[in-house]
Amino acid sequence: MDIAKYEGKQMNIISEISKYSDAMKESIIDKLRKIAEKGAMTCPFCDEKLILRAGDIRGVHFAHIRGKTCLESSAYDTYSNQVKRESQKHSVIKELIYDELKTQEKIKPDLKVEYGYKEKAKENWKYYPDIYLNKNGKEYAVSIVTNVYKIGDENVVKVIEKRNKYFTNKGLEIVWFIEDRELADDLSNRVIHLWEAERNLTVKTNADTQWDQFLLNLIMNYSAYDLFEVLNYHKRSSLSIDVRSLYYVHSVGEEITFSVYRLILDEAKAPFRAFAVNEGYKMNISKALLIQDAIQLSDHEHDSKDKELFRNKFISNLKDFELKRQQEEDKETKYVPYQDYINIQREQATEQIKNEVEYWVSNDFDVVEHKYKLERFTINSGEAKNLFFFLKRYRNDLNDYGFNVLMFKKLARQALGAISEAPTREWLVEIDEL
Ligand SMILES: [Zn+2]
């Protein structure tokens, strides 16, 4: 153990001797050993006498006298070993969180806050959370992870997995805080790229369950669409609606802030990634750690705003998505909507008539000659066609010749009784229907 009670204060032997130069260390250790032998240094947990050992294997440390080791001190040792990999910020962040929670403990009679190793020492746990919480019988394991940049390390992944399993089996809800952030988010693609360990550091809170409800409602209201596809997320596996959160903690001096990221984990295979439910937002310590029925860990107002944003984004994307899908379908089937088809036909017909009219004007169409041929049933198909377009275009000018459309319709009907040539008949029918 690296700590002892000395003259009413706690002494950490490692930081104590680090105050001295290498040349002086040996004599300082020697002096402290003599002080301990006289019974001046005691166990902070059980008050038994401690001795100072400076063995090669374990370095300088305090120990109970043979056979008298207490449970708390061995829990402390287990815990110290466990946090060896953490950065110096780890204990700073832990103490700030502990102090904030302890303040609440004073005014909340059904809240208990304790260091994990102290609370569970008697049960001789294999791992301890940094902080243990008990709110009205519900227990929480709060832990801080630092050195996140090393988190790709397979050992860390296993360690976190083991602790998650261990605390869950003990019936504790797990809360992880990650120091700073190695966050690699790409919000244009709504993706958060993760370390494998970060998958295991996600937490499920009440706010996440409310997000599940919100998303399920949205999916139900727009059941013809794939939520992830509409939001341009390139999913690699079929995702179920299970929103989880990642909490990053950032410390500057005595101040820490939390940021919360909500996400849905994608395939459990490298490279690890998740669908970004929100863009992430910051919270101060008192809001994040406020305990009501559970640890708050969320800003209700901010989450409401995020839900509004999510819905708006989804609906605006839906319009683009629908348009794109329509265009793709059109491309595939060469499908033209019926009204467009009619318009195109009409345009082509108008163009054709215009050409025909120009033809007659330049060629001096002789309506009298054509009427004569029609009466005698000697009109051919080309002449019948020209006559049709002339009548259609210049029906108002027929008076100049003493003719009218009815006259031509009657003649066409009579000709139909005498002419058997199909192409001619077709134009005669057109004239009859003018
Ligand atoms: Zn002890």
Side-chain angles (χ1 to χ4, degrees), residues 374-424:
L374 184 61
E375 283 165 344
R376 281 170 181 65
F377 313 138
T378 58
I379 196 164
N380 65 31
S381 69
E383 288 160 345
K385 179 182 168 190
N386 287 345
L387 180 60
F388 165 74
F389 284 115
F390 178 83
L391 295 174
K392 199 175 162 76
R393 175 73 177 80
Y394 297 108
R395 62 196 304 161
N396 294 330
D397 298 343
L398 289 174
N399 288 334
D400 298 351
Y401 302 91
F403 301 154
N404 60 52
V405 176
L406 276 177
M407 198 183 277
F408 282 92
K409 286 174 69 148
K410 199 176 154 193
L411 289 172
R413 247 189 325 270
Q414 285 167 0
L416 277 168
I419 296 172
S420 58
E421 197 204 352
T424 310

Side-chain angles (χ1 to χ4, degrees), residues 58-94:
R58 291 185 58 193
V60 189
H61 66 276
F62 293 110
H64 290 74
I65 29 187
R66 206 170 292 280
K68 288 219 168 164
T69 302
C70 69
L71 286 169
E72 284 90 342
S73 75
S74 66
Y76 175 85
D77 278 341
T78 302
Y79 173 72
S80 301
N81 242 347
Q82 183 187 305
V83 296
K84 228 178 233 165
R85 66 164 292 282
E86 307 293 348
S87 77
Q88 286 184 329
K89 285 248 171 111
H90 179 267
S91 72
V92 176
I93 296 168
K94 180 184 72 182

Side-chain angles (χ1 to χ4, degrees), residues 144-163:
I144 298 109
V145 186
T146 61
N147 287 334
V148 178
Y149 59 91
K150 290 179 183 167
I151 229 160
D153 180 359
E154 214 176 281
N155 281 331
V156 184
V157 173
K158 281 187 184 137
V159 162
I160 290 166
E161 251 171 46
K162 275 181 193 163
R163 279 189 229 170

